[in-house]
Amino acid sequence: MRTHAIWPVKILSIIVFLLGLTLLVGGIDLISAGGSWYYAISGIFLLVSAILLWANKKSGAVIYGIFFIGTLFWTLYESGFNIWGWIPRVGLPAILALWLVLCLPRLGAGVSKRMTGSLVGIIVICFAVAIYAVTGTQFSFTSGTPAPNQPLVNNGTTTTNQPDSDWQEYGRDANGTRFSPLNQITPKNVTHLQVAWEYRTHDLPPKDKPNKWAEENTPIKVGNGLFVCSATDDVIRLDPATGQQVWRWNSGVKYDSVPYTAACRGLTYFTSKVVPQGQMCHNRILVATLDARLAEVDAETGKPCDQFGNHGQESVMQGIGESVPGWLAMNDAMPIVNGVIVTNHEVLDGQARWAPSGVIRGWDAETGKFRWAWDVNRPDDHGLPPAGKTYSRGTPNSWTTMTADPQLNLVYVPTGNSAGDYYSAERSPLENKVSSSVVALDATTGHVRWVFQTTHKDVWDYDMGSQVTLFDYPGPNGTSIPAMLVPTKRGENFILDRRNGKPLSPVVEKTAPAGHIPGDPRAPTQPFSVGMPQFRKFARITESKMWGLTPVDQMMCRIMFRHSNYDGDFTAPSLKRPWLEYPSYNGGSDWGSIAYDPQTGIMVGNWNNMVFRDQLVTREYADKAHMFAINDPRYRPGTSSAEGAGAQAQTPYGVLVSPFYAPFTKMLCDEPPYGMITAVNMHTHKVIWQHALGTGQYNGPFGIPTHTPVNVGVPNNGGPIITAGGLIFVSATTDRELRAFDVRTGKEVWHYVLPTGGQATPMTYSVNGQQYVVITAGGHHFMGTPPGDYVIAFKLPSQGDEQGK
């Protein structure tokens, strides 16, 4: 009987011994790297405790108690009352402490039941407090000051010309505000939202091919048509009231043309000034395809517009030169400025220094004829390349949605960095001048009017992912300045005068770390927007901010931190050991961009907060690891891509790129939250409120979903919208939810679980007096949400419906 009673103690002693041994060995490594002594010291205490517990001595419990109390004080010292800092430090030790307390009556002469019960009660109360803290508002911030309710300026000139009921452009309007003046759905009635209709595009990845699907589409609504594009660019017109298909144009895009991902973010609606009203192709839908074509179809019938290009299509590959399917692709809505379509395109990252050009071009919107080109290394030559020549190869590409100002006749191009993303020695001065910038081009000629650079000599993949947003900004003596908001992956938010690119809020150049690669020096300074709130969690990451679910996870992350180069922002790429990138290229604002309410001056952005751990590798290493460029006969899918391993052929180095994970559990090494949503008062440039965004429902150790509804703040892709009804709608998160927030308070007032990830930006419109909210749920391979083909619309119940009473 007694032997049977002590088996729980024996098992516990084995677990404590293994934990202690792991912490001791890892702790010695951490000390040798200049890190904390806590783990090695804790390992010694746990080993002693385990040996004594195996011998059935109460002193083993005493030693464990000393370890546990010491851990509490150490946690308080390092993390204060930040509950996420307590989880890896105290969670597992507290569970073992509870087990040990329950075993006290079996140890030695035993402990009274009253004492045991009291200790169990204390530990249970601690667990209850921790659970409450985790599920509460740990990462919520509210300023306490009322949200503004009036425009920034009363005499603004930035206007949109469309009915309130429509959503005519990717960002709702030409300014990219993602704001709708509809107000039928409000914080008071949003809980009554219900599914109005659901449409399936039936555009899914082949079962025998790698999943590279992420539809990302925001539909547009013009009049009585709702226009959707599928993941591989089929264009579909739906009845906005019923979701019934009216027509479908098949793009013919093949799987081999899919680059990093199959995505069609948006379409463009165009009204011809040549074709009379009532005739075919007076109103057109423009789509840019993954296999590099521009196509225009009649908005009423879906039939190709023969007067455009070659029977409705125009290839954009002329002058590009060598390429292969999947290297160059188009997936954004194209702006049309004073009769000119302006095109950009994605060039797959990580392949080769002399990749296809990132040239920006203008085309006649009526006929598809070439009008002009902006080739970075031929800035004054706006024609086609001479026979036998190509546009300059390897130049910065622009892969996200552009914005245009027809009054100024400018198109604003968010640029990336040159090919060979993490190595800059071979770039020209002209490339260095315009990479990771906003470049304003004359829409008639393609001439550069101004450049504002957000990262100098970018080797961190801080390419511009967000569409810029146009708005009116207060000028001197009550005047209005035509301005733009420029969100970045760095989490810096710039305000520029869109006439000349000059900052309207303070920007300073701060000293940046030096480089590690011979012959490839880094820029001595980098720009910071000190006049606007940052979309980032830490000013600087530290060893104490490393995370994990257990002390072992956290210790491993701390060891990796100490064995990496980190000099703060813009830590330079290195060859001999990894470097940490924070914010990472998946930080701040990406292609989802921000939303801006011109009626109140409130800006809203959802953003990522992640650390990446990267390393340059020799060409010999890259070849042995089969890291070959997409145009190399030895290339195999997955061996060199936009994420992970990059060949960077024609440079001395390949590159390894990865989120900063714990090696076994694959939990991120920095503390949550990893995704946030923030509202900013643009009258004062102050944060109104800020919350963690998204639960850990489909995230967890070893990639296993935890199905816990804890608002941990998860990675997200896709942007927010604001309505005049006082709501923010946003999906984007890995927990597959579409959410509504009260824009004034930040309170979540409604959510709906989608069939897969809604990695897209929602939109809203009205028809027959009823407001609808629509989200595309197509999943996202990088975000870990499974592929889907859903377009789902929500509305309030019709009058008389019992649910709406």
Side-chain angles (χ1 to χ4, degrees):
M1 184 69 178
R2 180 66 178 163
T3 302
H4 174 74
I6 65 172
W7 269 113
V9 179
K10 298 289 188 182
I11 296 172
L12 175 62
S13 67
I14 293 172
I15 294 173
V16 172
F17 182 86
L18 292 175
L19 177 61
L21 183 62
T22 302
L23 294 184
L24 177 59
V25 173
I28 292 172
D29 187 357
L30 184 58
I31 291 172
S32 68
S36 171
W37 285 59
Y38 163 82
Y39 296 92
I41 295 171
S42 294
I44 295 171
F45 272 85
L46 290 173
L47 288 174
V48 173
S49 173
I51 293 169
L52 294 173
L53 289 174
W54 181 268
N56 198 34
K57 296 183 180 294
K58 283 194 292 185
S59 55
V62 173
I63 297 297
Y64 189 92
I66 294 173
F67 152 76
F68 187 68
I69 293 171
T71 296
L72 294 177
F73 280 105
W74 173 73
T75 301
L76 190 63
Y77 167 74
E78 279 208 328
S79 294
F81 294 100
N82 172 12
I83 189 62
W84 290 116
W86 284 67
I87 288 174
R89 295 168 171 86
V90 179
L92 179 60
I95 292 171
L96 297 179
L98 179 60
W99 186 345
L100 179 55
V101 168
L102 293 172
C103 290
L104 285 178
R106 298 178 173 88
L107 278 174
V111 174
S112 70
K113 290 184 178 180
R114 174 178 291 184
M115 175 65 74
T116 300
S118 299
L119 292 174
V120 168
I122 292 172
I123 294 176
V124 168
I125 290 172
C126 290
F127 274 116
V129 171
I131 292 171
Y132 173 79
V134 168
T135 56
T137 56
Q138 175 70 24
F139 292 107
S140 293
F141 165 79
T142 302
S143 66
T145 57
N149 57 8
Q150 60 184 11
L152 272 179
V153 295
N154 295 316
N155 57 344
T157 59
T158 303
T159 59
T160 59
N161 297 312
Q162 64 175 303
D164 289 355
S165 59
D166 282 0
W167 187 287
Q168 292 189 358
E169 310 222 16
Y170 171 72
R172 201 267 165 176
D173 50 47
N175 301 321
T177 62
R178 278 160 279 276
F179 169 78
S180 169
L182 296 177
N183 58 11
Q184 186 179 82
I185 304 171
T186 69
K188 292 183 178 179
N189 63 24
V190 68
T191 55
H192 296 303
L193 274 185
Q194 60 187 26
V195 174
W197 53 258
E198 179 183 290
Y199 175 81
R200 305 287 297 275
T201 69
H202 301 292
D203 192 356
L204 292 164
K207 293 183 179 179
D208 60 340
K209 301 286 186 179
N211 172 23
K212 296 196 293 183
W213 243 241
E215 190 164 344
E216 300 179 358
N217 179 243
T218 298
I220 60 174
K221 188 263 186 186
V222 185
N224 62 354
L226 181 70
F227 301 93
V228 176
C229 58
S230 72
T232 55
D233 303 314
D234 286 359
V235 181
I236 305 150
R237 176 171 175 163
L238 304 178
D239 183 317
T242 65
Q244 294 296 309
Q245 180 176 308
V246 178
W247 54 254
R248 181 173 187 142
W249 175 80
N250 294 314
S251 70
V253 169
K254 306 298 184 185
Y255 176 85
D256 289 346
S257 295
V258 174
Y260 167 58
T261 193
C264 178
R265 294 194 189 98
L267 300 166
T268 304
Y269 187 87
F270 171 60
T271 298
S272 172
K273 292 184 178 180
V274 175
V275 178
Q277 187 173 0
Q279 292 190 15
M280 181 174 166
C281 289
H282 173 68
N283 295 318
R284 312 179 191 183
I285 299 295
L286 168 70
V287 62
T289 67
L290 294 172
D291 55 4
R293 289 173 287 139
L294 290 177
E296 285 189 355
V297 299
D298 178 49
E300 300 303 318
T301 66
K303 294 180 179 179
C305 296
D306 279 344
Q307 57 270 71
F308 182 84
N310 182 16
H311 299 292
Q313 301 186 47
E314 182 67 44
S315 171
V316 302
M317 292 301 292
Q318 52 188 298
I320 293 296
E322 181 201 359
S323 188
V324 295
W327 204 354
L328 183 153
M330 306 168 78
N331 49 22
D332 291 291
M334 297 289 133
I336 298 178
V337 196
N338 298 326
V340 178
I341 302 168
V342 182
T343 64
N344 60 0
H345 54 260
E346 168 190 353
V347 178
L348 190 66
D349 284 349
Q351 302 309 303
R353 170 64 186 111
W354 306 116
S357 176
V359 60
I360 307 297
R361 284 166 289 179
W363 313 80
D364 189 291
E366 300 281 357
T367 66
K369 291 183 178 179
F370 172 83
R371 296 277 290 270
W372 55 259
W374 173 53
D375 181 352
V376 170
N377 284 326
R378 302 188 312 148
D380 298 320
D381 186 351
H382 299 294
L384 287 165
K389 301 292 184 179
T390 68
Y391 293 114
S392 306
R393 295 186 70 84
T395 53
N397 71 96
S398 171
W399 58 266
T400 196
T401 306
M402 298 177 286
T403 313
D405 185 330
Q407 283 70 42
L408 295 175
N409 197 41
L410 294 178
V411 60
Y412 303 108
V413 183
T415 66
N417 51 9
S418 299
D421 302 74
Y422 296 88
Y423 179 71
S424 66
E426 297 170 348
R427 298 175 189 171
S428 71
L430 289 172
E431 291 174 63
N432 284 332
K433 181 180 178 181
V434 301
S435 66
S436 300
S437 303
V438 178
V439 179
L441 299 180
D442 186 294
T444 302
T445 65
H447 180 71
V448 175
R449 295 272 288 274
W450 58 258
V451 177
F452 178 82
Q453 191 163 60
T454 67
T455 301
H456 307 320
K457 288 191 71 176
D458 183 4
V459 287
W460 302 273
D461 203 13
Y462 284 151
D463 50 351
M464 298 295 291
S466 294
Q467 179 187 25
V468 302
T469 295
L470 310 187
F471 75 119
D472 292 312
Y473 192 75
N477 304 315
T479 59
S480 172
I481 298 174
M484 68 166 62
L485 281 163
V486 182
T488 68
K489 291 181 176 182
R490 293 174 48 207
E492 302 292 321
N493 294 298
F494 298 93
I495 304 175
L496 307 181
D497 185 327
R498 65 178 187 262
R499 299 169 299 185
N500 52 34
K502 294 183 178 179
L504 295 174
S505 64
V507 175
V508 299
E509 292 282 338
K510 297 183 181 180
T511 302
H516 297 286
I517 303 302
D520 192 16
R522 302 276 38 88
T525 65
Q526 293 288 353
F528 287 80
S529 178
V530 297
M532 281 285 289
Q534 294 178 309
F535 287 173
R536 61 187 292 176
K537 185 172 59 177
F538 304 120
R540 183 184 179 95
I541 55 173
T542 62
E543 182 196 322
S544 65
K545 293 299 182 184
M546 296 299 99
W547 203 69
L549 284 181
T550 69
V552 175
D553 281 353
Q554 188 180 49
M555 178 184 69
M556 294 303 298
C557 287
R558 293 172 85 128
I559 291 171
M560 293 167 67
F561 176 87
R562 287 293 180 177
H563 285 289
S564 303
N565 288 336
Y566 180 65
D567 303 313
D569 285 21
F570 299 103
T571 297
S574 50
L575 178 67
K576 293 184 179 179
R577 64 180 195 167
W579 84 92
L580 298 181
E581 181 185 345
Y582 178 78
S584 73
Y585 76 83
N586 198 32
S589 296
D590 205 346
W591 54 264
S593 314
I594 55 96
Y596 175 74
D597 180 352
Q599 296 182 359
T600 63
I602 295 175
M603 179 185 87
V604 173
N606 55 285
W607 47 279
N608 284 319
N609 190 83
M610 298 171 65
V611 180
F612 270 52
R613 192 171 188 252
D614 310 328
Q615 185 171 6
L616 295 175
V617 296
T618 63
R619 181 57 49 204
E620 180 183 14
Y621 177 100
D623 289 348
K624 287 182 179 179
H626 303 285
M627 295 162 57
F628 301 114
I630 192 172
N631 63 331
D632 191 308
R634 298 169 294 177
Y635 172 81
R636 296 293 179 270
T639 58
S640 180
S641 66
E643 318 291 346
Q648 295 196 142
Q650 300 155 350
T651 76
Y653 309 107
V655 67
L656 303 176
V657 181
S658 173
F660 190 13
Y661 288 126
F664 304 117
T665 63
K666 299 301 180 184
M667 297 293 288
L668 291 170
C669 277
D670 56 316
E671 282 183 4
Y674 308 117
M676 303 284 285
I677 184 167
T678 302
V680 177
N681 181 345
M682 291 300 295
H683 296 262
T684 62
H685 296 184
K686 302 294 184 183
V687 172
I688 305 169
W689 53 260
Q690 180 169 284
H691 303 306
L693 179 65
T695 67
Q697 292 271 15
Y698 295 97
N699 301 89
F702 309 105
I704 300 172
T706 61
H707 299 291
T708 55
V710 176
N711 193 34
V712 65
V714 293
N716 56 91
N717 260 325
I721 68 171
I722 306 175
T723 72
L727 290 169
I728 298 162
F729 288 96
V730 63
S731 182
T733 53
T734 57
D735 61 4
R736 311 180 189 182
E737 292 194 6
L738 172 64
R739 291 177 167 86
F741 294 90
D742 186 320
V743 71
R744 304 191 68 78
T745 66
K747 179 182 179 182
E748 183 179 323
V749 289
W750 175 82
H751 70 272
Y752 180 88
V753 180
L754 300 166
T756 188
Q759 273 70 57
T761 301
M763 54 87 72
T764 185
Y765 61 86
S766 70
V767 62
N768 301 327
Q770 191 91 39
Q771 183 181 353
Y772 292 73
V773 175
V774 174
I775 183 68
T776 299
H780 199 293
H781 60 100
F782 181 67
M783 304 297 288
T785 54
D789 62 341
Y790 300 87
V791 183
I792 304 174
F794 303 85
K795 69 178 182 66
L796 296 172
S798 301
Q799 190 173 5
D801 188 312
E802 186 175 351
Q803 284 184 294
K805 292 182 179 177

